[in-house]
Amino acid sequence: MTAAAPEPKTNMGQSVPRYDAAAKVTGRATYASDMPLDNPAYAFLVTSAIAKGRIDRFDLDDAGRVRGVIDIVTHENAPKLKESKLFSNGGYAGTTIQPLRSAEIAHDGQIIAVVIAESYEAAREAANRIKVSYTAAAPSASFDSPGTTMAAAKGQNAQFKEDPAVGDFAKAFDAAEVKLTASYDTPTQHHNPMELFTTSCAWMGDNLVIYEGSQYVYGLKNGVAEQLGIDADKVRVVNPYVGGGFGSRGSMTPRTAIIAGIAKRLNRPIKLVPTRDQGFTIATYRAETRHEIKLGASRDGKLVALRHEGAEVSSRPDAYCVGGTKTTTRLYACPNVDSLVSIVRADRNTPGFMRSPPEVPYLFALESALDELAAKLNMDPIELRRINDATNEPIGGKPYTSRSLMACFDEAAKAFGWSQRSSQPKSTSDGNWLIGYGCAATCYPTQMGPSAARVRLQRDGRTRVEIAGHEIGTGAYTVIAQTAAERLGVPLEKVAVFMGDSDLPPAPVAGGSNSTASTCSAVMMVCDQIRQRLFKAVMPSDSLTDKAKETVGISPAPSTRAAKGDRSLDLEKAFDALGVGVVEEYGEWKPEGAPLDSFRAMHNGQVRLVGGHAMKDQIAYAFGAEFVEVRVNRFTHEIRCPRLVGAFAAGRIMNPRTARSQLMGGLIWGMSSALLEATEIDERNARYVNDNLADYLVPVNADVSGVEVIMLSEQDDRINPVGAKGLGELANVGTNAAICNAIYHATGQRIRKLPVRLENIEV
Amino acid sequence: MRPFSYQRASDPDMAVQALGAAATNTPLTKATAQPLAGGTTLIDLMKLDVMRPTAIVDINPLAHAWSAIEPGSDALRLGALAKMSDVAAHAEVQRSYPVIADSLKLAASAQLRNMATLGGNVMQRTRCNYFRDVSYENCNKRNPGSGCAAMDGVNRMHAVLGTSDQCIATYPGDFAQALIALDATVEITGKAGTRSMPFAQLHKAPGSTPDIETALQPGDLISAFSISGRWPRSVYLKARDRQSYEFALSSAAIALDVQDGTIRDARVALGGVATVPWRAREAEALLKGHRFDEALAQRVADAAFADARGRRHNSFKIALGKRVVARALQQAVTMEI
Ligand SMILES: Cc1cc2nc3c(=O)[nH]c(=O)nc-3n(C[C@H](O)[C@H](O)[C@H](O)COP(=O)(O)OP(=O)(O)OC[C@H]3O[C@@H](n4cnc5c(N)ncnc54)[C@H](O)[C@@H]3O)c2cc1C
Ligand code: SF4
C-alpha cells in the first residue's frame, strides 16, 4: 500500500513532503502532555458508575492516606466556576452538564472527583480507593428506552433553522410509479483520537497557560476565561500539535476550567492525563441516529418525491443535533421534497461533532435508499444518479458553484472496473467468498470562516507565518507554508509556520473542513500586503497595473527571477528603499457573506462559518464517488473489504500528497464505520460497555489492502480566494452506503443498520 | 494500580517460595503474590484495578531453563516461558503441529506475541467487560456472590458452552484449544516439586465458583507443556471481527488421523464460545471410523453445539460455531501433508 506522492494535475499545488514529518517520526513533535511543567502535581479523575441519580456520600479516608495525595476535589469543595452556554447558543461549551457543581449525576462516567497528588501513580491509586455511595435512578439509555422525550429539532436547536421542503411531497409520492420506503440506523461512535483528553494548567500570577490538544484554541481560551471569570487576555492555550481531533476537541469540555481552578487554588501547575475509557464520557461522541427515507420515481428513474426523516439522540439539557437533511434534501434534482429532524433526549453525555457529523449518518440512509431504488428500477445505480444529477439544488434553486459528481463517478467506475459487475446480486464468487461491488456518492459542504494572520519577511527571504490554526494531523503547517512561499516567491525551506497558540492571530475552529480555505486565504491576503509594501517602496505606485500588483511575486524567488507579471523585485533593494530590517504585516480576512460581527466573534473565539447550503445566491459542496469490493465468507460470514476506490473533486488541491492522505484515511475510516465501529450501551444502566481500544473495533493493517484515491482537477473561483474546498471530511461519508450496497450485491441481502457484523449476514 | 513489591526469581524454588508464602486458601486469582511473565495480561488487569497483588515475582529469569522448544521423534515439549512468536515460527512445530503454530500466529498482535509466553497465554483471563470494569459491583468472578452483570447485559462476546447461572464469561485464548485438542500434558512446578496433569484438567468451568479458574494453587507455576504423537493433519480456524489483533468469535482446533480415507482418530476443540478450553468429545466420536462427507461434518458440528445455550446478543455463536467446525473439518481433511 505504499505509493509515491501523487503527481499534481491542473489546479493542484506541489506534492511537497509534510512540514512536520521529520519532527513527528523522530518524536520531536511535542503534544500537550509532553510540555515540560515546573514542579507539577498530577490529577486523576474519578467518574460516576451510574448514569442518573445522586451521590450520597464519599468515603475518602482510605484514599486520603495514600502517600503523596495533596487534595481530593469533589462537588463539596470544588472551585466555583461560571456556566458557559452551549456553543450553538453563543457559548463555548460542548455540554452544559457541568460536573462537580452538585451531587446530581446526569450521565455515565461524569467527573465526580479529582485527586491531586505528587505523582500520577499516587493519584491513580488514591482514585481507586475512593468509595462512593449513590442513590441511583433508572436512566433512559437510548431510542427505545422508557423515559425519553422526543421533539422536533426546529425550535430547540438554534442552529437548526428549517426542515427543508419544497413542492408537494405527499401528493407526488402517492402518484409515483415506483416507490420505496426504508429505515436505516447508525450506531453510537467515539472518536478515540490517539492523544488522550489531557490538560495541563500553569499559572504565572494572574496569567494562565493551558496545554491541551484543541481544535479551537481561541474558543478554549475565551471559554475557560468565561468560566473562571477572568479577562480572556490572561489565558493562553498552547498546542503546536494535536494527536487527532475528528471533532472531539472542537468545543470546550468541562475538565479544562476544573483543572485550571484547582491549579490556581493549589498555586501549582497541574497535569491531567485521563484514561482511554474516561475519554468516552468526558468528551463528546457521535450519537446514534434513525432514518426513514421515502423515494418516489418515474419508471425511467426520475425522482419525483423524496422525504427524509431523521431522529438523533442527545442529552437531557442540550439539544445537540447534526440535521443532515440540509444536505440530503439538496443533493439530487427532485421537485417534491419533505424532511423532519427530531431529537430524542436520554440520560447521556452530550454528543458533538465527529468527522462529517451530518453527512455520515444522513447520506448513509439516502445513498443506501438510492441503491435500493436502482435495484427496484432494474437500473445501474450510477445511471440513477446521472438521471437525477442537479446543477441547482431543488430547495432554493441555487446553483452549485461547481459540481463534479458524475465526473467522479465516471473516473472511479473506470478505475474500479465497474463494467465487470454483473447486474444480478449473489452472482459472483471466488472459492468460499461471495463477491459484491457497490458504490455511493459522497459530498461535503465547502465552508470558510474569518481568519487573521501575521507574516514577517526578512531581507534574506526568511519568512515567519503566525496564525492560531491547528495541526490535527491534516497537513495544515504544510499547506500554509506552501501558500506563503508561493505568494511571496521565497523558497519553501525559508518559511517557518507557527500555529496552535492563542497568543497568535486568531484562526477559525479546525472543524467543518474549513481550515485550509480559511487560513490559506488569510495568509495569502497578508502576503499580498507585504508585496504591496515592497513594491510601493521600489516603484512609483502608478507604474504598476492592478493586474501586475496581483500577480507579481507568485513566481518562485522574486529576488532572482522575473515574476509572473512583467516586473521582478529585488528583495534587498526593496528593503534598502524601505529602510527596515523586516517587513511584517497583520491582516484579517473574512469570506464573502460573512456576518457583520465576524471579526469581533473571531477574537472572542466564536465560530462564524459560512458556505455549504447557507450561502446567499449559490451552494458550495465538494463531491466524490466511492466504489468498494466486499467479500463475504460463505461459512463464517466474515466480511472483508479488499478494495476501496474513490474519486474526488474539491477545487484547488493545495498539496496532492497531504490531500491524498486525508482522502485515503477517510475511506478507511468509512470502512471502519460500516463494518466495525460501535459503542455498545448497556440499556439497563445507560453505560458504555466497550470503552477501550481492544473492544471498540477499528481496522488494523490486515483489514486494509487496496485503497485508491483519484483526485480530479476542478477549478472553482467562486468559493474563496485560494479556490479550495475542504476535503478532510469528504471521503468517509459515502463509504458506509457503498459497503452495504456491495454486501447486497454479494449476498442479495439488504442491511440497513450499521455496523454490519458477521451475525447480520444470512446466506 | 496499587503499590507492589517486585522480585526477580533467581531459581524455581525461590519463585515457588515467594509465591506460595501467602495464605494458601485463597483462590489463585486473588493471591497476594502473582508471577509475572510477559505481563500483557497481568499488568493490564493491575492498571484496571481488577488484580491487586502486593507482590510480583518476575519469572523471566527462569527462561534459560523454561523456554525450550523441543520436538522429539514422536512428541513435543514446550517450555512455559517460550514466547508465542518463537513457537509460532518454529519450523518443526509448523510441520508437525500446524494447529499449534496457527493458534499462536492468529492470536493477538505481533507486538504482544513477542512479549507473551505460553504459560501466561493459557492463564490469561476473560475479556468480559463487566469483569474488567471494577465500577460494576456485580461480577461473581471478581466479587463472589455479587451476581453477574453480563447475564442480561451486553454479552455478544460471551460463552454459549460451559456456562453456569453464575458466570458466562468466555475463555478468550486460542493456544489452549490446540493443547486440549492434542491431549497435552501440563507440567507444574510447585511446593512439592514437579508434577504433571492433563491440560484438560487445568481450567475449571465456572459452576458455582467462577473465581476459581484453574487447578493451580498459590505457589504453582506452569513450567512446560508436552504433547505425544505428531499431528500434521491439524488446523486452527478462527472467525473474528477483524483480520488480526482480535479474539475469536468462534474458533475450532481440529486434528485428524486419516488412513485410506477413513478417520482413525479425531480431535475437535472449540474457542471463543466456551467458558474454558473446550473439547467436543461427542462430536469426535461421530467421526471415528468414518469417511468424511459434508453430511457428517454437519452432524459433528450439531453434536459439538448440542448443549449450547445462547443469550440476548451471543446466540449467533451457535450457528457460527457449527459452520466454523464444519469448515475446519473440511480443511483438515483436504489439507496436503
Ligand atoms: C489487545 C489484546 C488482544 C489479544 N488477543 C489475543 C488473541 O486473539 N488470542 C489469544 O490467545 N490471546 C490474545 N491476547 C492475550 C495474550 O495472548 C495474553 O495476554 C498473553 O498470552 C499472556 O502472556 P504473558 O506472558 O504476557 O502473561 P502475563 O500477563 O505475564 O501473565 C498472565 C497470567 O498468568 C500468570 N502466569 C504467567 N506465567 C505463568 C506460569 N508460568 N505459571 C503460572 N501462572 C503464570 C500471571 O500471574 C498472570 O496472572 C490478547 C491480549 C491483548 C492485550
Ligand atoms: S460473565 Fe462472569 S466475569 Fe462476566 S460479569 Fe458475569 S460473573 Fe463476572
Side-chain angles (χ1 to χ4, degrees):
Chain A
M1 248 191 47
T2 49
E7 281 296 318
K9 302 179 189 161
T10 310
N11 199 28
M12 296 189 186
Q14 294 302 309
S15 284
V16 302
R18 271 175 196 266
Y19 179 89
D20 44 346
K24 280 188 172 164
V25 296
T26 56
R28 270 187 291 116
T30 41
Y31 293 82
S33 57
D34 299 328
M35 295 296 194
L37 298 171
D38 185 11
N39 187 31
Y42 296 83
F44 198 90
L45 302 178
V46 180
T47 54
S48 67
I50 62 168
K52 187 181 184 183
R54 53 180 294 121
I55 299 164
D56 294 330
R57 212 175 74 81
F58 284 104
D59 178 351
L60 305 177
D61 292 353
D62 212 13
R65 276 194 293 270
V66 173
R67 206 169 70 188
V69 169
I70 299 167
D71 198 2
I72 300 175
V73 180
T74 69
H75 66 273
E76 285 158 3
N77 61 351
K80 293 276 168 287
L81 299 170
K82 296 196 170 59
E83 278 172 43
S84 181
K85 284 191 289 223
L86 202 67
F87 69 90
S88 51
N89 293 332
Y92 301 97
T95 177
T96 63
I97 302 169
Q98 180 64 39
L100 302 186
R101 187 177 275 270
S102 76
E104 298 301 317
I105 307 262
H107 64 81
D108 169 35
Q110 179 178 319
I111 299 172
I112 55 171
V114 186
V115 181
I116 311 292
E118 295 292 343
S119 70
Y120 174 78
E121 291 76 15
R124 177 171 58 179
E125 186 198 350
N128 285 345
R129 290 181 187 275
I130 290 177
K131 293 180 207 72
V132 191
S133 320
Y134 302 98
T135 299
S140 311
S142 185
F143 285 122
D144 298 323
S145 312
T148 55
T149 58
M150 178 162 173
K154 191 175 153 183
Q156 47 173 333
N157 179 314
Q159 289 182 345
F160 188 90
K161 296 201 178 74
E162 53 144 350
D163 284 304
V166 72
D168 187 341
F169 166 80
K171 202 165 137 206
F173 184 72
D174 232 30
E177 288 170 349
V178 182
K179 288 181 217 181
L180 176 91
T181 302
S183 299
Y184 302 91
D185 287 20
T186 66
T188 315
Q189 295 180 338
H190 278 80
H191 319 75
N192 279 308
M194 283 307 288
E195 185 184 14
L196 295 164
F197 292 102
T198 72
T199 298
S200 294
C201 289
W203 290 85
M204 297 259 273
D206 290 341
N207 290 293
L208 169 66
V209 181
I210 301 169
Y211 300 106
E212 177 178 310
S214 166
Q215 291 172 253
Y216 195 21
V217 290
Y218 265 74
L220 188 58
K221 156 186 149 140
N222 281 278
V224 172
E226 182 184 65
Q227 282 205 274
L228 294 172
I230 61 174
D231 188 342
D233 285 347
K234 300 212 174 305
V235 181
R236 179 177 176 200
V237 177
V238 180
N239 61 4
Y241 298 99
V242 181
F246 314 118
S248 65
R249 307 180 202 275
S251 42
M252 177 174 66
T253 70
R255 73 185 194 275
T256 316
I258 291 173
I259 296 299
I262 299 173
K264 175 92 183 166
R265 181 198 284 171
L266 297 179
N267 195 21
R268 208 168 149 183
I270 292 190
K271 176 168 171 172
L272 166 72
V273 180
T275 60
R276 176 62 61 188
D277 63 309
Q278 289 171 344
F280 278 70
T281 59
I282 65 168
T284 62
Y285 60 98
R286 192 197 296 282
E288 57 274 33
T289 67
R290 286 181 173 176
H291 306 261
E292 188 191 72
I293 303 261
K294 285 182 186 292
L295 296 176
S298 63
R299 238 176 259 298
D300 56 4
K302 194 88 201 76
L303 284 174
V304 294
L306 181 156
R307 183 168 200 279
H308 192 163
E309 189 173 337
E312 310 176 22
V313 165
S314 190
S315 64
R316 291 284 180 196
D318 298 324
Y320 180 83
C321 83
V322 299
T325 46
K326 59 188 164 228
T327 294
T328 53
T329 56
R330 291 178 170 93
L331 188 50
Y332 294 107
C334 178
N336 303 291
V337 178
D338 192 22
S339 67
L340 176 66
V341 171
S342 305
I343 302 177
V344 170
R345 306 291 189 102
D347 297 301
R348 298 273 296 281
N349 50 327
T350 304
F353 322 107
M354 182 161 161
R355 201 173 187 176
S356 344
E359 291 75 20
V360 161
Y362 282 76
L363 250 79
F364 164 61
L366 180 65
E367 288 298 300
S368 299
L370 275 177
D371 200 73
E372 298 202 35
L373 181 64
K376 269 199 169 192
L377 291 164
N378 234 330
M379 184 177 271
D380 183 293
I382 305 177
E383 284 319 298
L384 180 61
R385 286 164 177 100
R386 200 184 308 280
I387 290 167
N388 294 290
D389 194 23
T391 49
N392 291 48
E393 53 88 14
I395 305 293
K398 293 182 285 190
Y400 279 95
T401 58
S402 58
R403 172 167 161 133
S404 308
L405 177 63
M406 292 322 297
C408 290
F409 264 109
D410 293 339
E411 285 275 330
K414 198 162 81 209
F416 182 81
W418 182 256
S419 58
Q420 320 281 301
R421 171 184 184 263
S422 79
S423 59
Q424 279 312 303
K426 216 177 168 178
S427 59
T428 314
S429 62
D430 174 9
N432 291 320
W433 295 90
L434 305 174
I435 298 178
Y437 288 179
C439 67
T442 197
C443 70
Y444 194 79
T446 300
Q447 304 186 93
M448 286 76 54
S451 179
R454 187 183 299 117
V455 180
R456 169 193 165 119
L457 176 69
Q458 299 187 14
R459 54 191 303 149
D460 61 1
R462 271 189 290 164
T463 303
R464 179 185 170 100
V465 182
E466 297 182 348
I467 181 165
H470 311 84
E471 178 54 84
I472 53 175
T474 49
Y477 278 116
T478 315
V479 296
I480 288 174
Q482 281 179 282
T483 302
E486 273 174 33
R487 208 64 187 176
L488 293 174
V490 299
L492 187 60
E493 315 79 72
K494 292 207 168 186
V495 182
V497 182
F498 293 82
M499 293 200 304
D501 182 340
S502 66
D503 274 4
L504 303 175
V509 62
S513 293
N514 86 88
S515 280
T516 299
S518 310
T519 58
C520 292
S521 291
V523 168
M524 197 165 114
M525 185 192 88
V526 177
C527 289
D528 288 352
Q529 289 169 205
I530 290 185
R531 285 197 345 238
Q532 301 229 340
R533 263 180 77 187
L534 296 173
F535 270 98
K536 274 211 188 101
V538 286
M539 324 183 186
S541 60
D542 55 5
S543 76
L544 274 178
T545 61
D546 283 350
K547 188 72 201 148
K549 274 186 204 148
E550 256 176 45
T551 53
V552 162
I554 295 179
S555 76
S559 52
T560 54
R561 259 182 263 168
K564 225 191 198 153
D566 47 357
R567 315 286 173 127
S568 68
L569 175 73
D570 184 322
L571 265 191
E572 300 267 350
K573 256 194 209 146
F575 274 91
D576 285 344
L578 272 172
V580 295
V582 297
V583 178
E584 184 172 290
E585 284 286 329
Y586 168 87
E588 298 183 343
W589 174 85
K590 67 178 178 187
E592 224 182 284
L596 280 176
D597 73 344
S598 281
F599 287 138
R600 186 163 51 89
M602 172 178 83
H603 287 278
N604 290 342
Q606 280 165 332
V607 178
R608 292 289 184 275
L609 293 187
V610 298
H613 75 281
M615 300 162 91
K616 213 163 138 258
D617 304 315
Q618 52 190 16
I619 172 168
Y621 273 74
F623 290 94
E626 303 185 359
F627 287 69
V628 304
E629 175 184 331
V630 301
R631 295 181 160 233
V632 180
N633 189 287
R634 255 188 239 285
F635 290 94
T636 61
H637 296 178
E638 285 167 299
I639 308 159
R640 304 296 183 226
C641 185
R643 273 195 318 139
L644 292 159
V645 177
F648 307 94
R652 179 170 173 79
I653 303 296
M654 308 296 285
N655 178 331
R657 183 198 297 254
T658 53
R660 174 174 169 272
S661 289
Q662 283 297 299
L663 295 166
M664 182 163 63
L667 287 169
I668 296 168
W669 172 297
M671 185 257 275
S672 177
S673 163
L675 298 177
L676 298 170
E677 284 184 54
T679 309
E680 316 276 0
I681 303 166
D682 190 324
E683 282 167 14
R684 300 167 302 176
N685 53 28
R687 302 190 66 192
Y688 299 133
V689 177
N690 57 334
D691 51 358
N692 62 76
L693 282 183
D695 297 307
Y696 183 91
L697 301 177
V698 294
V700 294
N701 276 331
D703 295 308
V704 182
S705 33
V707 186
E708 186 180 346
V709 170
I710 301 161
M711 287 174 274
L712 271 64
S713 286
E714 186 184 70
Q715 179 109 25
D716 190 332
D717 301 325
R718 296 161 74 184
I719 37 178
N720 52 56
V722 292
K725 297 176 174 177
L727 51 74
E729 295 167 88
L730 176 59
N732 61 312
V733 173
T735 333
N736 294 287
I739 286 184
C740 287
N741 297 342
I743 291 173
Y744 167 73
H745 185 235
T747 64
Q749 190 190 344
R750 281 289 171 196
I751 299 186
R752 303 183 178 90
K753 187 173 181 195
L754 298 179
V756 187
R757 298 259 169 90
L758 57 76
E759 63 263 38
N760 307 123
I761 305 277
E762 300 152 9
V763 280
Chain B
M1 204 176 225
R2 303 177 182 223
F4 56 89
S5 69
Y6 172 83
Q7 279 177 287
R8 286 173 71 78
S10 50
D11 56 60
D13 283 350
M14 177 259 158
V16 165
Q17 274 306 303
L19 290 165
T24 42
N25 265 345
T26 44
L28 180 75
T29 52
K30 292 269 168 57
T32 51
Q34 295 284 339
L36 172 76
T40 62
T41 286
L42 182 62
I43 305 296
D44 271 16
L45 290 175
M46 288 170 67
K47 283 187 183 166
L48 293 171
D49 209 30
V50 172
M51 288 182 79
R52 302 170 184 176
T54 54
I56 292 294
V57 179
D58 186 343
I59 58 173
N60 288 294
L62 310 180
H64 64 93
W66 285 8
S67 62
I69 304 170
E70 297 170 285
S73 62
D74 198 30
L76 175 68
R77 189 170 189 280
L78 298 168
L81 285 173
K83 300 286 184 193
M84 289 170 74
S85 50
D86 290 337
V87 181
H90 195 278
E92 183 51 28
V93 176
Q94 288 177 355
R95 202 165 23 244
S96 297
Y97 308 92
V99 66
I100 291 185
D102 286 353
S103 71
L104 290 166
K105 197 177 68 193
L106 297 175
S109 66
Q111 294 90 332
L112 285 159
R113 293 193 295 271
N114 285 338
M115 281 299 285
T117 63
L118 299 187
N121 184 279
V122 303
M123 295 296 286
Q124 69 177 287
R125 306 192 64 193
T126 185
R127 308 297 298 187
C128 171
N129 286 112
Y130 300 99
F131 168 74
R132 291 169 66 88
D133 183 345
V134 293
S135 72
Y136 280 87
E137 274 299 313
N138 41 344
C139 168
N140 288 325
K141 196 183 267 304
R142 222 178 342 96
N143 290 331
S146 62
C148 170
M151 205 75 76
D152 298 312
V154 175
N155 48 32
R156 176 173 184 262
M157 298 301 288
H158 286 71
V160 294
L161 287 167
T163 57
S164 73
D165 60 358
Q166 298 274 304
C167 180
I168 57 171
T170 303
Y171 172 78
D174 293 300
F175 173 54
Q177 322 307 336
L179 290 177
I180 201 168
L182 302 188
D183 271 340
T185 303
V186 55
E187 180 189 288
I188 298 159
T189 300
K191 284 183 201 159
T194 299
R195 65 188 197 275
S196 287
M197 71 160 100
F199 181 76
Q201 288 171 17
L202 180 67
H203 290 85
K204 301 278 175 209
S208 57
T209 51
D211 55 324
I212 297 174
E213 296 176 357
T214 63
L216 300 191
Q217 298 295 320
D220 283 346
L221 282 171
I222 298 175
S223 38
F225 304 94
S226 46
I227 290 142
S228 59
R230 287 175 66 249
W231 293 92
R233 187 175 294 285
S234 64
V235 300
Y236 190 74
L237 182 67
K238 181 174 178 181
R240 46 187 166 166
D241 284 318
R242 54 185 174 194
Q243 290 204 58
S244 171
Y245 198 17
E246 180 57 10
F247 293 95
L249 289 169
S250 168
S251 69
I254 305 279
L256 299 178
D257 176 6
V258 183
Q259 282 167 29
D260 305 326
T262 302
I263 300 169
R264 302 272 165 213
D265 196 0
R267 307 292 173 79
V268 179
L270 309 176
V273 292
T275 53
V276 285
W278 194 262
R279 184 86 177 263
R281 292 183 194 275
E282 297 81 357
E284 293 172 1
L286 295 176
L287 286 162
K288 283 180 203 166
H290 290 86
R291 300 181 86 83
F292 181 82
D293 61 30
E294 276 196 19
L296 177 62
Q298 193 53 55
R299 283 204 306 283
V300 170
D302 287 343
F305 284 87
D307 296 332
R309 174 148 180 258
R311 300 196 72 88
R312 173 127 185 240
H313 305 111
N314 68 354
S315 295
F316 75 94
K317 283 189 174 181
I318 300 174
L320 171 65
K322 289 181 187 178
R323 290 192 304 262
V324 166
V325 167
R327 173 80 190 121
L329 278 170
Q330 192 195 46
Q331 257 182 37
V333 168
T334 54
M335 76 189 283
E336 309 256 342
I337 58 169

